Amino acid sequence: MFADDESPKPKQRHEIGCDLSFLSAGELEERIGLLEDEIERLKAEKASKTSSRSAAESFFKSK
């Protein structure tokens, strides 16, 4: 009946500027990994947008 202990924990987020003093070294390492993954995701999106824009500019310059 009390399934609170079995409920999935929400995915951990990192809030920029939050107090880090309460986190263990392991938790800090986990957050670093999350942030590195997010940086890679942002770089990939930026590259995608840059290449799309370059392609569009090339197309319209040739006309």
Side-chain angles (χ1 to χ4, degrees):
M1 302 253 323
F2 296 99
D4 290 339
D5 293 337
E6 297 174 13
S7 62
K9 293 182 180 180
K11 187 174 181 180
Q12 189 173 13
R13 286 186 39 214
H14 179 77
E15 187 176 321
I16 304 298
C18 69
D19 182 12
L20 304 175
S21 62
F22 65 93
L23 298 173
S24 69
E27 290 170 319
L28 289 168
E29 191 63 36
E30 184 178 331
R31 289 196 183 195
I32 289 169
L34 291 170
L35 290 169
E36 288 173 339
D37 291 346
E38 183 65 6
I39 289 168
E40 289 305 312
R41 188 177 78 89
L42 290 166
K43 286 180 177 180
E45 185 65 22
K46 179 184 172 192
S48 172
K49 289 179 186 277
T50 301
S51 66
S52 295
R53 181 178 177 168
S54 295
E57 287 175 351
S58 294
F59 176 78
F60 288 109
K61 283 182 182 177
S62 66
K63 295 248 172 196

